[in-house]
């Protein structure tokens, strides 16, 4: 018999639904964003529908934060599960205005999570309240769908690839609102997607699926160093850092990672703000000895945990940083010739030279401008991957 564990989302489904096999078992924290990643047709949506109760596998198990929704003797139907499901194509009533649509959902539940005014402010819906859903853009319709879902006061928000039907500008418009929900509400989310770039931007945990089977589960940065992702052409690791200060002379943000320090070009940020960095494997090189003089800003002692063949000419190294207390994983893609000539192997101590580290995004961070006192700030939404300078590799870290 399975037991529900407080503070966790626990799932175990095994069987077949409509000829789609499913072997999905995982346990993740009941907070933040858990992304479910895999190619189209791998069973992500089937898994989400089982969690929501839309589909049933008799031997399934589902528990949220210690509360059992399904086991050998229990099956709560969808309307008795405190979960809301946001589809990639929102289901909205065209005869109701935006305001009436929101109020309809607000009347169904007491505002334990967020109230009507809070949703309007969080999703910037004030200017749309009198509009008909049929007159909204794709991104605006998704904002309305998110607002309706939140006003149902769920304990779990299921997002089934909500950006898949949106073009690139619409995706850039809606993503900051998903980040607001993550940052401002204590609401766990399961985010279904086959786009790793979206997942890297704001997910905390990652569940990988292939052919209906869960193949890996864990914190995002840990799974990114898993061989299944590390050998991708665009392999990268995301690490969460804290702003420690600013070097105004050289325009460098000082970042902290459990005792380690990183420097990247950028505008001054509020000290203490969290910033997620994306470091691509192709932007990390390896040295056997600490360089005496280098143009690299960030050089860290590290140890090789695994070496993975990439193609005939290159190999991907999985590293563990040994600076401070971080132990953070890092990836490096180097040539096979360099691997052999440096005498590298698993367990070898090396120095990782990070040529470039890009903020995954700066979602409404408090940017400190030259004309703004340090105690004040203005909200700015920035897609840092497109706007940050690309050259992060000059002047060795002091």
């Amino acid at each position: 018999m399975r037991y529900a564990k407080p503070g966790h989302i626990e799932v175990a489904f095994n069987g077949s639904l409509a000829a789609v096999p499913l072997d999905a078992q995982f346990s993740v924290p009941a907070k933040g964003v858990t992304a479910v990643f895999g190619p189209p047709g791998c069973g992500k949506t089937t898994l989400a529908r089982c969690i929501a109760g839309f589909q049933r596998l008799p031997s399934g198990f589902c528990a949220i934060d210690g509360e059992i929704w399904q086991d050998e003797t229990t099956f709560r139907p969808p309307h008795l599960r405190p979960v809301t499901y946001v589809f990639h194509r929102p289901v909205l009533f065209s005869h109701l205005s935006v305001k009436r649509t929101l109020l309809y959902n607000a009347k169904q539940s007491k505002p334990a999570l967020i109230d009507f005014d809070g949703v309007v402010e969080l999703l910037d819906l004030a200017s749309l309240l009198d509009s008909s859903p049929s007159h909204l853009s794709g991104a605006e319709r998704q904002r309305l769908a998110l607002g309706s879902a939140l006003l149902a006061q769920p304990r779990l928000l299921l997002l089934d690839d909500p950006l898949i039907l949106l073009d690139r500008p619409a995706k850039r418009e809606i993503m900051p609102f998903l980040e607001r929900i993550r940052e401002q509400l204590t609401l766990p989310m399961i985010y279904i997607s086959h786009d790793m770039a979206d997942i890297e931007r704001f997910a905390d945990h990652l569940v990988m699926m292939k052919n209906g089977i869960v193949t890996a589960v864990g914190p995002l940065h840990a799974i990114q160093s898993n061989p299944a992702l590390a050998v991708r052409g665009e392999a990268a690791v995301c690490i969460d850092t804290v702003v420690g200060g600013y070097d105004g002379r050289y325009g460098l943000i000082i970042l902290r990672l459990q005792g380690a320090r990183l420097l990247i070009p950028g505008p001054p940020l509020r000290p203490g703000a969290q910033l997620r960095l994306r470091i691509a494997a192709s932007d990390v090189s390896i040295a056997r000895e600490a360089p005496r003089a280098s143009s690299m800003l960030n050089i860290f002692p590290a140890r090789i945990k695994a070496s993975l063949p990439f193609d005939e000419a290159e190999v991907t190294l999985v590293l563990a940083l040994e600076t401070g207390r971080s132990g953070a994983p890092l990836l490096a893609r180097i040539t096979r010739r360099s691997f052999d000539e440096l005498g590298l192997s698993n367990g070898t101590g090396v120095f990782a030279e990070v040529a470039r580290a890009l903020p995954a995004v700066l979602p409404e961070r408090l940017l400190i401008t030259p004309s703004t006192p340090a105690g004040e700030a203005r909200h700015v939404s920035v897609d840092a991957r497109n706007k940050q300078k690309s050259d992060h590799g000059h002047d060795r870290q002091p």
Side-chain angles (χ1 to χ4, degrees):
M1 176 178 289
R2 295 179 179 271
Y3 296 93
K5 187 176 180 180
H8 284 74
I9 297 171
E10 297 174 285
V11 166
F13 295 108
N14 188 279
S16 181
L17 288 167
V20 177
L22 195 63
D23 183 5
Q25 299 186 43
F26 62 84
S27 177
V28 294
K31 61 180 181 180
V33 178
T34 295
V36 181
F37 171 76
C42 72
K44 301 187 300 294
T45 293
T46 301
L47 171 62
R49 291 178 62 84
C50 286
I51 294 173
F54 296 146
Q55 292 180 287
R56 181 179 183 180
L57 280 171
S59 61
F61 180 83
C62 181
I64 310 297
D65 196 14
E67 184 176 281
I68 294 177
W69 293 359
Q70 179 180 350
D71 62 9
E72 295 89 343
T73 60
T74 303
F75 181 81
R76 288 192 185 184
H79 67 280
L80 294 180
R81 300 189 183 200
V83 56
T84 50
Y85 196 117
V86 177
F87 300 87
H88 44 254
R89 190 182 298 277
V91 179
L92 302 171
F93 299 110
S94 60
H95 65 285
L96 296 179
S97 66
V98 169
K99 182 176 181 179
R100 291 180 62 193
T101 299
L102 294 173
L103 287 174
Y104 175 83
N105 287 280
K107 292 177 181 177
Q108 309 304 310
S109 305
K110 294 182 179 179
L113 176 70
I114 189 170
D115 61 14
F116 176 87
D117 291 336
V119 162
V120 170
E121 180 180 359
L122 181 68
L123 298 173
D124 195 18
L125 295 172
S127 63
L128 305 176
L129 291 177
D130 295 328
S131 302
S132 166
S134 60
H135 296 156
L136 302 181
S137 68
E140 290 170 342
R141 288 172 62 85
Q142 280 293 14
R143 283 157 56 193
L144 175 56
L146 287 169
S148 297
L150 294 177
L151 285 172
Q153 313 302 323
R155 291 181 57 191
L156 176 66
L157 182 61
L158 270 170
L159 303 167
D160 189 0
D161 228 339
L163 309 183
I164 192 172
L165 299 180
L166 302 179
D167 58 22
R168 189 171 298 275
K171 288 178 67 174
R172 285 200 299 265
E173 178 183 336
I174 195 68
M175 184 59 81
F177 293 102
L178 293 175
E179 292 166 340
R180 285 187 188 182
I181 295 173
R182 173 185 177 273
E183 293 176 358
Q184 298 184 28
L185 300 182
T186 56
L187 174 66
M189 292 184 276
I190 293 180
Y191 181 79
I192 308 295
S193 180
H194 65 276
D195 190 331
M196 182 53 67
D198 293 340
I199 289 172
E200 288 176 342
R201 185 164 166 169
F202 82 129
D204 301 295
H205 282 73
L206 181 59
V207 176
M208 290 181 57
M209 292 191 68
K210 184 177 181 180
N211 298 327
I213 300 172
V214 169
T215 58
V217 181
L220 174 65
H221 68 269
I223 301 302
Q224 284 179 308
S225 59
N226 180 288
L229 285 182
V231 297
R232 295 186 312 137
E234 298 180 354
V237 167
C238 291
I239 55 176
D240 292 320
T241 65
V242 176
V243 177
Y246 190 71
D247 184 344
R249 180 181 179 184
Y250 293 109
L252 298 173
I253 305 171
I254 302 171
L255 301 170
R256 305 294 182 186
L257 175 65
Q258 296 182 13
R261 184 182 70 168
L262 300 91
L263 301 174
I264 66 169
L269 300 178
R270 175 178 55 81
Q274 292 188 347
L275 184 66
R276 174 167 292 184
L277 294 181
R278 182 181 189 272
I279 303 176
S282 57
D283 289 327
V284 179
S285 59
I286 297 298
R288 284 300 303 267
E289 298 179 355
R292 294 184 178 181
S294 173
S295 65
M296 297 294 182
L297 281 168
N298 303 299
I299 302 173
F300 306 104
R303 193 162 299 277
I304 299 176
K305 295 179 62 179
S307 54
L308 310 170
F310 178 64
D311 57 23
E312 293 183 356
E314 294 181 303
V315 61
T316 301
L317 304 181
V318 180
L319 309 171
L321 296 185
E322 294 188 335
T323 299
R325 307 180 308 279
S326 67
L330 202 64
L331 300 177
R333 184 158 292 150
I334 63 175
T335 64
R336 289 177 179 268
R337 176 174 175 173
S338 296
F339 183 85
D340 290 339
E341 291 188 346
L342 290 173
L344 303 179
S345 62
N346 294 350
T348 301
V350 297
F351 288 86
E353 303 176 319
V354 179
R356 182 169 61 172
L358 293 176
V361 72
L362 297 176
E364 298 198 357
R365 300 289 184 184
L366 295 179
L367 302 181
I368 301 175
T369 65
S371 59
T372 304
E376 300 178 10
R378 60 185 180 93
H379 284 286
V380 179
S381 180
V382 180
D383 187 338
R385 192 171 301 173
N386 293 328
K387 298 197 181 285
Q388 284 288 335
K389 299 177 181 179
S390 61
D391 184 4
H392 287 190
H394 297 286
D395 299 323
R396 183 181 178 186
Q397 176 179 326

